[in-house]
Amino acid sequence: MNTTPATSDHHKNVNDLQMRHFSKSKLMAFRQCPKRLWLEIHRPELREDSSATEARFKTGHQVGDIAQTLYDPNGSGNIIDVSAEGFDGAFARTAELLKSSKQPVFEAGFKADGALAFADVMLPDFNGENPGWRMVEVKSSTGVKDYHRDDIAVQAFAAKASGVDLKSVTLAHIDSTWTYPGDNKYQGLLKESDLTAEAFARTEEVKGWIAEAQNVAALPAEPEIAVGDHCYSPFECGFCNYCYKDVVLPEFPVDWLPRFSSTKREQLAAQGITDLREVPDELLNGKQSLVKQHTLAGSVYFDAVGAAADLAPHGFPAYFLDFESIMFAVPIWKGTRPYQQITFQFSLHVLTETGQLTHSSFLDVSGNDPSEAFAKTLIASCGELGPVFVYNASFEKGRISELADRYPDQAAPLLAINERVVDLLPVARNRYYHPSQQGSWSIKAVLPAVVPDLSYDQLDGVQDGGMAMEAFLEAISPGILTERKSEIELQLQSYCKLDTYAMVRLWQVFSGRTELSLMIDCGAH
């Protein structure tokens, strides 16, 4: 959860290099890619963290703050503040507290045998004859990941090498089944997994990482390591832009093949095959073959008869619906779960048989839980008859089902809407492909191909779901200026509105009703 920079000396003599101490984050960087470690040490200015990475860091800090209140409800514990105390001061005060204190210690620092680390939580363990300490590492994920096990191994190694009598090591992660009761009561948010035996057994392995990291750090130039899947696993590396700057990408990347297994891609890469033109046809399924054929030919595939047949059974009025949602690692609204998708906005276009098109919407940026008002407005807006078209039905149907569970008095009409849902995504995937889609059938890829006069690039501010979530968080943040909140509301409304208008236009083309002249009311577009 914490990222502490390693010592930044650049001395090249052997003794100094042997004394370099690597932070846990540096060792995790080495585990991902030795080149990343070298760049972290020698060229840190090249690092460019994505907005997703920044959001992950922010979430981690938030969960860490909650953990301190859970493990120290009386506020009697001690917090090591390396920014105020300095590294040497932090290590010294940690050592003193772990010798004399019987209270929790947060951000305890350890430095020994080439490693340095800061533990999220150290709890006194006085069970038995020999008093000691229990280490708890806090993560914002919903389970134990493989990289967490490496993380814990380094933490345990640094603590034990520093002379701490470490009794156990556990990883506390979020319990996604827990429901927030409100009133800032977060007991139950975290669930612990004991990793003591595994962490203690990996001492020699960690020593090996440190020795290898020393060798990498001592290199006069960055190691030559080709880009690949490791650049994004377990997380996107902040040096991706730097490492990819001189990479000549193939004209038709193998990555454009939909649902093409990573194993097959790796096998092809080992043979030097990165371009669709060189991929053997026998490795491809029907959909992948279609993508390869039309991408290389620059031709459009459109089964107009099949698409029209898919949509023919669905009459009028036709509803076109799209949701926007937000999720919180630490819930802020009573009755919600960690990482639950909470709908805060919908757009709805309604089309009659004569081509009359009307629009309605819902958006709540008050900061209060929008769920119940969302459900009631949705029911009132969707009527009782006619297909409800969406793009990727599992999302909208899933959110509607969750709303039905939360509000039983609204369950019947909500579930009735679900029964009317018709998914346009399978129609697009089975009946249409344009080379510009590059193997994707997301609505952002399909819309400009099918309807060239429409594009999300035309929108101001919010142009995709990730940006919508960021905008919503800003809109509900305390202290936001009224003018800025109004600006965000307009951007969110325009974005979500385009999603449903896009579906109307796709429906027109796929159903063969391009002769239908849309008579737009309410400024639909």
Side-chain angles (χ1 to χ4, degrees), residues 310-340:
D310 291 340
L311 297 174
H314 309 294
F316 295 91
Y319 296 79
F320 298 85
L321 179 65
D322 180 70
F323 294 169
E324 296 303 326
S325 66
I326 190 71
M327 60 181 180
F328 302 95
V330 179
I332 65 172
W333 295 315
K334 180 180 179 180
T336 62
R337 302 185 308 277
Y339 292 113
Q340 180 179 353

Side-chain angles (χ1 to χ4, degrees), residues 442-465:
S442 74
I443 197 167
K444 307 297 185 294
V446 174
L447 178 63
V450 178
V451 189
D453 61 299
L454 290 181
S455 171
Y456 287 84
D457 294 340
Q458 301 168 359
L459 293 172
D460 176 33
V462 177
Q463 298 181 351
D464 59 42

Side-chain angles (χ1 to χ4, degrees), residues 59-117:
T59 298
H61 291 309
Q62 181 188 20
V63 176
D65 290 343
I66 292 291
Q68 291 187 9
T69 67
L70 296 179
Y71 286 105
D72 185 26
N74 298 322
S76 58
N78 297 280
I79 300 176
I80 305 296
D81 184 355
V82 69
S83 63
E85 302 175 52
F87 282 99
D88 290 341
F91 298 138
R93 193 158 82 93
T94 294
E96 179 61 30
L97 286 171
L98 295 186
K99 287 179 182 177
S100 61
S101 176
K102 294 183 180 180
Q103 302 300 329
V105 181
F106 301 100
E107 309 300 335
F110 313 104
K111 178 182 178 182
D113 292 358
L116 67 86

Side-chain angles (χ1 to χ4, degrees), residues 233-267:
S233 178
F235 299 107
E236 180 181 350
C237 173
F239 296 99
C240 279
N241 287 341
Y242 170 74
C243 292
Y244 273 90
K245 72 180 190 311
D246 295 324
V247 175
V248 179
L249 297 176
E251 185 178 358
F252 305 109
V254 171
D255 289 344
W256 290 359
L257 291 173
R259 301 182 183 179
F260 194 63
S261 73
S262 59
T263 301
K264 288 182 179 178
R265 280 194 289 115
E266 289 168 4
Q267 290 173 346

Side-chain angles (χ1 to χ4, degrees), residues 321-326 333 341-348 359-365 370-371 373-375 377-378 395-396 399 403 462 464-465 467-469 471-472 488-500:
L321 179 65
D322 180 70
F323 294 169
E324 296 303 326
S325 66
I326 190 71
W333 295 315
Q341 295 274 7
I342 309 297
T343 49
F344 64 84
Q345 178 180 15
F346 73 74
S347 171
L348 183 73
H359 179 259
S360 61
S361 63
F362 174 91
L363 174 61
D364 183 352
V365 292
S371 303
F374 180 101
T377 308
L378 180 67
F395 178 74
E396 273 78 15
R399 304 295 77 74
L403 288 169
V462 177
D464 59 42
M467 296 174 75
M469 286 192 283
F472 177 76
I488 291 173
E489 282 188 89
L490 288 174
Q491 291 176 356
L492 285 169
Q493 288 168 343
S494 296
Y495 167 68
C496 198
K497 193 180 207 179
L498 180 56
D499 268 344
T500 52

